[in-house]
């Protein structure tokens, strides 16, 4: 029997790799690890939530998966009662409070990445120079686009499961997207930059 992907949860799979309880929390607030107890939310330690929702890609980036993103592609997470940029939370867990006026930059130029080795502290001016030198003012594709609801790894998984005969209706429900989104992946209208083989995925 397929079970929930959350560590320590052995309940039956319901949708998007979660049991019904964790799936409901993900749909409600974008975080399956925030569980409602009475009239309040009980927050699982942020380190655990980040670890369980991150995946390593072929480039060595550790990508945090979240439907709560900024237009830049940077992911948000609920921490200490408010939404925070997850890569800043990761930096602070390792190095302490970020000094006023400083930003955390991605050396990999991949906004969802939370690999500490790919992060460095700097100024807004440093970040702007990075943007210009790397051509980041151009349109971002795939999971780097803040509007993306799927990651490259999920697209590969969807293609494999479509090839096995799973329905677009079921996959749309599991991944929290519209059926037309699945159809466009199937027909090749979207995510053309993602190769079919999971070992070849780059972002």
């Amino acid at each position: 029997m397929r079970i929930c992907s959350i560590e320590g949860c052995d309940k039956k799979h319901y949708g998007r790799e979660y049991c019904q309880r964790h799936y409901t929390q993900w749909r409600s607030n974008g975080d399956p690890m925030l569980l409602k107890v009475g009239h309040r939310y009980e927050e699982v330690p942020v380190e655990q939530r980040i670890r369980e929702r991150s995946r390593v890609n072929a480039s060595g980036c550790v990508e945090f998966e979240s439907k709560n993103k900024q237009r830049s592609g940077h992911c948000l997470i609920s921490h200490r009662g408010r939404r925070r940029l997850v890569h800043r939370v990761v930096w602070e867990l390792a190095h302490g409070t970020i000094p006023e006026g400083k930003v955390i930059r991605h050396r990999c130029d991949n906004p969802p990445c939370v690999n500490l080795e790919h992060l460095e502290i700097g100024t807004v001016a440093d970040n702007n120079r990075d943007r210009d030198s790397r051509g980041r003012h151009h349109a971002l594709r795939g999971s780097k686009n803040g509007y993306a609801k799927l990651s490259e790894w999920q697209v590969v998984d969807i293609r494999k499961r479509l090839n096995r005969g799973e329905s677009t209706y079921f996959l749309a429900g599991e991944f929290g997207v519209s059926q037309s989104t699945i159809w466009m992946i199937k027909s090749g209208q979207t995510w053309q930059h993602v190769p079919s083989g999971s070992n070849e995925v780059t972002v």
Side-chain angles (χ1 to χ4, degrees):
M1 179 183 73
R2 188 178 179 188
I3 63 172
C4 181
S5 64
I6 298 297
E7 184 178 343
C9 180
D10 58 0
K11 290 184 171 57
K12 183 180 178 181
H13 168 265
Y14 177 79
R16 199 182 172 87
E17 301 182 1
Y18 306 130
C19 66
Q20 186 170 6
R21 182 179 68 165
H22 287 111
Y23 178 81
T24 300
Q25 291 307 125
W26 173 80
R27 292 285 292 180
S28 297
N29 54 59
D31 193 335
M33 304 297 284
L34 282 181
L35 306 180
K36 195 168 186 179
V37 180
H39 296 290
R40 65 184 177 82
Y41 283 99
E42 183 179 274
E43 186 170 299
V44 175
V46 69
E47 299 94 329
Q48 180 181 342
R49 287 185 286 138
I50 293 172
R51 182 177 65 252
E52 293 180 350
R53 295 171 59 190
S54 299
R55 301 289 183 272
V56 181
N57 71 14
S59 301
C61 288
V62 181
E63 294 183 330
F64 182 75
E65 297 182 352
S66 174
K67 70 175 184 178
N68 292 312
K69 296 181 181 180
Q70 296 183 326
R71 290 186 63 181
S72 61
H74 294 92
C75 297
L76 300 168
I77 191 169
S78 219
H79 182 45
R80 295 178 179 172
R82 62 191 182 96
R83 296 287 183 188
R84 302 272 324 274
L85 288 166
V86 67
H87 68 286
R88 288 178 65 91
V89 172
V90 168
W91 180 272
E92 289 184 341
L93 289 171
H95 300 290
T97 303
I98 300 169
E100 186 176 351
K102 297 291 186 178
V103 298
I104 304 304
R105 304 154 60 201
H106 284 88
R107 293 193 290 116
C108 57
D109 204 30
N110 184 13
C113 182
V114 293
N115 185 340
L116 195 58
E117 294 181 358
H118 292 187
L119 304 178
E120 62 184 353
I121 197 165
T123 64
V124 173
D126 293 330
N127 220 29
N128 289 340
R129 279 193 293 272
D130 288 345
R131 177 200 63 202
D132 295 339
S133 65
R134 298 170 185 173
R136 220 187 299 139
H137 52 283
H138 299 304
L140 299 176
R141 67 181 185 177
S143 60
K144 291 183 179 181
N145 188 308
Y147 293 110
K149 293 184 178 180
L150 298 169
S151 69
E152 281 74 9
W153 293 102
Q154 290 172 320
V155 170
V156 170
D157 186 35
I158 288 169
R159 286 175 179 165
K160 288 180 178 178
R161 292 168 66 176
L162 285 168
N163 289 336
R164 291 200 296 264
E166 293 191 35
S167 73
T168 57
Y169 177 80
F170 178 82
L171 291 171
E174 178 171 339
F175 286 91
V177 297
S178 67
Q179 197 171 354
S180 62
T181 296
I182 303 297
W183 271 112
M184 286 191 286
I185 292 172
K186 183 177 182 179
S187 63
Q189 295 179 53
T190 57
W191 297 89
Q192 297 97 330
H193 69 288
V194 179
S196 297
S198 60
N199 293 329
E200 303 172 17
V201 174
T202 57
V203 294

